[in-house]
Amino acid sequence: QVQLVESGGGLVQPGGSLRLSCAASRSIFSISAMGWYRQAPGKQRELVATVTSGDTTNYANSVKGRFTISRDNAKNTVYLQMNSLKSEDTAVYYCNAKSIVPTPQYNYWGQGTQVTVSS
């Protein structure tokens, strides 16, 4: 079992910034695609950003130009830098690690961290 632990969430005013971190309990990043997802109350979980082991990134259109995902394999950590935050960004943010190799197959989720953007 691999545990993903998010940190860095909190309350921020519109236009502010936060950096989320996700640390894995053991080294799996070299064979994992990492991602951040979010879920607002009453809504479905949605993709925010992903980064492959080769550092290829992908972003939801709603966060392009504002959020940056990055990874540090040596530290088993993935980050989400969130700038120019809007009220629409308010959600629980979840870290995800998905296997990119046939064996082993896995799909791990963190417990989530609350991000609230409000004045």
Side-chain angles (χ1 to χ4, degrees), residues 29-108:
F29 277 37
S30 63
I31 59 171
S32 300
M34 304 299 300
W36 288 96
Y37 295 73
R38 67 187 181 187
Q39 186 169 23
K43 298 183 178 180
Q44 296 183 343
R45 187 174 299 186
E46 64 176 355
L47 171 70
V48 177
T50 60
V51 58
T52 69
S53 60
D55 293 327
T56 299
T57 58
N58 181 58
Y59 298 93
N61 288 334
S62 59
V63 306
K64 283 184 177 179
R66 299 189 297 120
F67 292 9
T68 302
I69 188 171
S70 61
R71 62 191 291 161
D72 187 334
N73 289 349
K75 297 181 179 179
N76 298 326
T77 302
V78 63
Y79 305 96
L80 184 68
Q81 179 66 46
M82 310 165 67
N83 298 326
S84 302
L85 283 162
K86 307 174 181 179
S87 60
E88 304 95 280
D89 297 317
T90 296
V92 177
Y93 284 70
Y94 297 91
C95 180
N96 172 257
K98 181 179 293 185
S99 175
I100 60 172
V101 295
T103 303
Q105 289 289 306
Y106 54 80
N107 189 12
Y108 297 113

